[in-house]
Amino acid sequence: MNGSLFLRAGLLDGQTVLLESCGTYPLQVARPQRDMAGSLSLVVLLLSGGLLDGDCISMDIVVERGARLAVRTQAATQVHAGRSTQRLQVTVAEDGCFSYVPHAVVPHARAVYHGQNGVVLAEGARALIADVLSPGRVQFGECFAYQEVRLDLDARAGSRPLARERAVLRPDIALRGAQLGAFSHVAGAYMLGPGEAPHVAAGGPDVRIGASELARGGWFVRALADRATTLDQLLAGLSANWWAVVQSD
């Protein structure tokens, strides 16, 4: 199944509005919501209940000049056995802002999953791109039973590279300590464009958090935990603080 979703957000009378929305099964968006500052929020629905062998779904999103768009998912993405791909390509025009904070990817036993995120920023544009990876369906005894997960990201400002990631995880008990330590879930967030250092809450015994400044502008935050809900809450807080800074500028 090759589902696709195209979204274009722009300004109308100073408010961000959804100018275009075109999707094919299994992707759909819920009714847009606007906050008091004029930003627009959308929830992406995966109507099939997960990715099956051979599935390739893609989202192409355009944020026009000065518009502010936040996209999130309704629930965790279940990745069934076999090969599947999920792609996100975002273009943010001058002074535009975009955030993508999904729920966790849950790879089932024998799953081979490839996530691809691409971001292009214009002058003064900002983007927050996050991801969460779980070890699988733990309640069904499928902890680290997937075959392979690849997570790619390419971000640039015009033709200038900002960030590039190529992560490959193949479950191996001999390497798990080096990859995740004592934890089972991992999240990452790229905060691209102008802005101060992110506000990152201090980690406790059930979570580890770290932030690194990118050489060409922006920050990267990595977090480890034992539950997806812990990382969901952490990313929600990070996103809220990021948007508060964006809306105050």
Side-chain angles (χ1 to χ4, degrees):
M1 181 183 301
N2 294 316
S4 64
L5 178 66
F6 174 75
L7 303 173
R8 182 169 66 92
L11 287 181
L12 181 63
D13 297 328
Q15 301 286 315
T16 300
V17 297
L18 188 60
L19 299 173
E20 288 187 68
S21 176
C22 180
T24 62
Y25 186 84
L27 292 172
Q28 182 178 320
V29 291
R31 183 183 297 274
Q33 295 183 345
R34 185 179 294 109
D35 64 17
M36 296 298 293
S39 299
L40 194 68
S41 176
L42 300 174
V43 176
V44 176
L45 312 177
L46 186 61
L47 301 179
S48 63
L51 299 179
L52 303 176
D53 185 24
D55 283 358
C56 178
I57 63 173
S58 62
M59 293 186 290
D60 290 273
I61 300 174
V62 175
V63 180
E64 296 187 348
R65 181 173 181 173
R68 298 175 174 180
L69 177 65
V71 175
R72 53 196 174 91
T73 57
Q74 181 188 35
T77 299
Q78 303 295 326
V79 181
H80 297 269
R83 294 182 176 273
S84 57
T85 302
Q86 183 169 220
R87 184 182 68 87
L88 170 69
Q89 183 63 45
V90 182
T91 302
V92 187
E94 184 177 354
D95 297 323
C97 297
F98 172 79
S99 71
Y100 178 63
V101 183
H103 289 282
V105 169
V106 183
H108 296 195
R110 302 182 305 282
V112 179
Y113 171 78
H114 191 182
Q116 301 171 302
N117 292 331
V119 186
V120 180
L121 302 181
E123 185 68 25
R126 304 180 187 183
L128 167 61
I129 307 293
D131 62 64
V132 180
L133 177 65
S134 89
R137 298 190 300 175
V138 178
Q139 68 273 28
F140 291 98
E142 294 183 2
C143 187
F144 294 107
Y146 59 86
Q147 186 173 332
E148 179 181 276
V149 169
R150 290 179 176 267
L151 300 173
D152 297 348
L153 177 134
D154 289 282
R156 56 189 175 90
S159 60
R160 181 169 62 96
L162 293 177
R164 191 181 196 199
E165 178 176 345
R166 295 293 184 270
V168 180
L169 290 92
R170 300 186 183 98
D172 184 338
I173 193 170
L175 300 176
R176 195 173 304 156
Q179 293 175 329
L180 301 176
F183 300 97
S184 56
H185 295 65
V186 59
Y190 284 90
M191 307 170 73
L192 305 167
E196 300 178 355
H199 174 73
V200 178
D206 60 342
V207 63
R208 291 289 183 273
I209 311 169
S212 300
E213 187 173 7
L214 301 176
R216 295 183 175 179
W219 295 80
F220 176 66
V221 176
R222 175 71 79 196
L224 299 168
D226 283 326
R227 296 187 302 166
T229 53
T230 300
L231 297 179
D232 287 342
Q233 293 168 2
L234 185 150
L235 290 178
L238 187 69
S239 176
N241 290 329
W242 183 82
W243 274 109
V245 172
V246 166
Q247 292 169 346
S248 67
D249 289 348

